[in-house]
Amino acid sequence: MLEGLSVVDGPPALEDYLRLRAESGLSPKTREQAEAGAHGAWAACHVVDVESGETVGMGRVLGDGGWYFHVVDMAVLPAYQRRGIGAAVLQTLLDRIAEQAPPNPYVTLMADVPGRPLYARFGFVETAPGTVGMVLRQS
C-alpha cells in the first residue's frame, strides 16, 4: 500500500511527535505536554520511512472506549504529503474503532483547511450550523 513506508501501532517517539507537529504546521507543544499527551490516547499509530528510519506521519484517537472517539494529531511531514500517508493513518485509526468499539461510535475531529478533503473522503461532514466546534482560549 505505502511503498517503502510502514504503519506502526502506537505513538511515535517523543522527539518525533514534537517534530511532526511543528514541521507539519500543527501548533507546537512543549515537552511536558507531549509527554503527557502522546501516550494518553485510546489508539495511536505512526508511519516510518523504512529506508531512513524517519517517522514521517502520525495520528491518535482520544476516547472513552464506549461511544466517543476524537481523532487528533493527524500530521504528515511536508516532503511526504500527497502520498497516501494521511489516508493510511486515518484508515488504521478508524479500523481500530470499528474493531474494538461498541456499535455506533461517535467519531469526531477538528478539521483544519488542508485536511478537510481527506476527512471528507472518509465520510466526515461538517456539523455547522447545528453544532460547531468551540475552544476555551487560555491566555
Side-chain angles (χ1 to χ4, degrees), residues 12-23 31 34-35 38-39 55 58:
L14 181 63
E15 293 302 323
D16 291 331
Y17 175 85
L18 292 167
R19 181 178 52 84
L20 278 165
R21 284 195 60 88
E23 292 182 19
R31 184 175 222 31
E35 286 172 346
H39 296 282
T55 299
M58 68 175 179

Side-chain angles (χ1 to χ4, degrees), residues 2-8 46-56 80 83 85:
L2 296 174
E3 190 172 330
L5 302 167
S6 177
V7 178
V8 180
H46 61 283
V47 177
V48 175
D49 181 314
V50 175
E51 187 174 319
S52 70
E54 181 180 25
T55 299
V56 300
Y80 286 83
R83 294 163 96 181
I85 296 169

